[in-house]
Amino acid sequence: MQQYSSLPEQNSQIDTTQTLLTTIQQLRAELWLEGGLNQLQSHLNDCLLSACTTLPQPRATEAEIFQILVNEISHALNSSKVAIALLQSQETTGKIFYVPPSPARRSQLLHLEALSKKGKKLRLKLDEVIELEDLHHLENQETPSAWQLANDCGGITAWLIVATAPVRGDSELCNTAEVELRSQFIARAVKYCSVALAKLRQIQSWQQKSQYLGSSNRELERTNQLKNQFLANTSHEIRTPLSSIIGFTHLLLAQGYDPTRERHQEYLNIIQSSSKHLLALINDILDLSKIEANQLDVQWEIVNVSTLCRNVLALVKEKAANKGLKLLLDIEPEVTTIVADPLRLKQMLLNLLFNALKFTTTGTVGLQVVDKGSFLHFTVWDTGTGISPTDQAKLFQPYFQISNSTVNRNEGTGLGLAVTRKLAEVHGGCIEVESKVDCGSRFTIILPLNPVGELTGIEGNIASASASPPLDIAPSCFLEILLVENDLNNAKLMQIYLEKLGYQITVAKNAAEMWAALKDINPAVILMDINLPDDNGLNLVQQLRENTQYQMTPIIAQTAMAMKGDRDICLAAGVNDYISKPIDLPLLASLVAKYSKPQ
C-alpha cells in the first residue's frame, strides 16, 4: 500500500513539471510573438517618421514598408520563404517585387509547399509572374499561404506570400500550436502593414495639403506685393495730374481770374488736360478691375468694320495733323462686319493709335484690316522710334511706360496696353507686337469674326459704331428742369451750364426739397442724383412712377454709380437714361435736349 501510496506523489510531481514546461513554452512563444511584432512595428514607425520629415516620395516609402514586412517575417519565421507580389487593378497576373535579401539567395528559388490551382508548383523568385487565381487559391487553403494587403490609392494590390519549406514528419512545425502561432504572427504582421500603409496615405494627404497651403500662401504673398505695387503706382499716377489741377487753380484764385489774360487761359487748359488725364486713368483702372473680376459688360453687336475704323481715325485726325503725320486706312474688300462690342473695339483701336502717334515724330501712322479666314487682323503700324526687345517684354504690364526723351510721360496712363490685351482676350482674341528700334512698330489685334456662336437677338442689327449725330441742344424757351443733386458744387456746375443754354433750373439737394419743388413747377425733365442724404434716388424714381402725374416725365439718372450693372439698375428703377459722373457737360445737354422735346 505504501508503494501505491507513494505513486500519487510521484505522478503529481510529473504533472507539475509538465505543466511548468508547458507554461514556459507558452511564455517563450508569446515572447517570440510579441518580440517579433514589436520589432516590425518599430521599423514601420521609423519608416513613417522618416516620411513625415522628408520630401514626399510616396512610392519609395511604400516600397520601404513592403521590404520591411518581408524582411521581418523572414527573420522571425527563419525557415519560411517570404515575398510580396504586386498586381494592377483589373489585371489577372502580377509579379513578385519584394523578397528577403541575401545571404539565403537559394531561398528565392525554393518551391512553395502548396500547389497552384492547376497543380503546378510555384516559386518565390524576384520578377516571377504569378496568377491572381493562384493567389486566391493559396489564400483560401486551410492553412493560408497568401494574404491580400490593403489596396493603395494608385490602383495597385499587394499580396504577401509566405511558403514553408517541405518538412519531415518529425519536424517541430508539425506541432499544431506552433503552426497556429505562426499563422497568428503573420495575420498580425499583415494588419500592422495595412495600418502603416493607411497612415502613409494620411501623411501623404497632409503633405499635399501642406504643399497646397504653402503654394497658396506664396501666391497670396505675390498677390499682396502686386496689390501694394499697384496701389503705389496708382497713387503716384493720380497725384501727378491732381497736383497740376490744385496748383494752377491756386494760381488763378491768388491772381484773380481774368479771361482776357493769355496766361490764365493756359492755366485753364492745363487744368482741363490734367482732369481728363485723371479721368482716363480712373476709367482704365475700372476697366482693368472689371476684366480681372470677370465683371465687364460686353454688348455683342454686328459691327460695320469700315465705318467703325473711319470714325476711329476721325477722332485722332487732329492730333496727327498737329504733329504733321499722315494717317492711312487700308481695309481689304472682303472685310465687312464682325461680331464685337463696338465701344470696346473702338477703345482698343484708339489705345493703339494714340500710342503710335505719341511715339512717331515724322512719317505715317496707319490702320490695316485683313481677313484671315475666321479671324480679322486689325494692325496699327507706325514709322516711329520702335521698341527694344527688353521693353517689349514689359509692354503689357500695368503702368509700364517706355522711356523716351521725345515723349511727355504724362501723355497716357500706362494702362492702355494692359487694358487692350485684356479686352482682346474677352473677345476671344489676342494681340501681337512686331517692332525694331528706329524702324517703327506693328500692333495686331486678332479677333474671331464670331466669338459668341449663334447671334440670337442681334442679327440684322449692324452697329456702325459711328458717333451719333449731335443733337440740337438749343432748348425751347423757358423749359423747367428739376435738378436733384446732393453735392452743391456739382449742382452749381450743371445749373450754370444749363442756364447758359436757356433752361430754367430749380435745384433740390434732397428728397424733401424735391417734393416741395414739384408743388410749384411741372418740370420737362428731372435730373436725379442717386445718393441723397434723406432717401435713395432710385426709391424716389419709383415713387414718381407710381404717381400718375409724373409717370411720363423724363428722368435722367446722373450719378457716381459707374460699376457693372449700375446702368441696368437705374433703368430698371424707371429712369429714361443714365449719365455717370464726372459729368460730360455736352452729353448732359444732348440728353436734356432729347428728352425735353415735345413728344
Side-chain angles (χ1 to χ4, degrees), residues 376-398:
L376 286 188
H377 287 210
F378 296 82
T379 300
V380 173
W381 58 272
D382 62 65
T383 58
T385 56
I387 307 167
S388 69
T390 303
D391 285 339
Q392 286 184 45
K394 305 175 185 177
L395 272 180
F396 298 100
Q397 295 178 5

Side-chain angles (χ1 to χ4, degrees), residues 499-539:
E499 284 179 347
K500 284 182 175 294
L501 296 176
Y503 296 100
Q504 291 187 0
I505 308 300
T506 300
V507 178
K509 63 178 179 293
N510 53 46
E513 291 186 8
M514 182 197 79
W515 292 116
L518 287 173
K519 294 177 180 179
D520 301 324
I521 65 171
N522 185 24
V525 174
I526 299 176
L527 299 175
M528 181 68 73
D529 191 9
I530 302 304
N531 294 313
L532 298 172
D534 56 348
D535 207 339
N536 181 279
L538 298 180
N539 292 337

Side-chain angles (χ1 to χ4, degrees), residues 66-93:
F66 287 145
Q67 192 64 57
I68 287 172
L69 181 65
V70 166
N71 294 349
E72 292 303 319
I73 292 179
S74 176
H75 175 73
L77 300 183
N78 196 19
S79 61
S80 296
K81 315 305 177 254
V82 188
I84 288 180
L86 301 182
L87 287 81
Q88 292 284 349
S89 296
Q90 311 303 323
E91 294 291 331
T92 58
T93 59

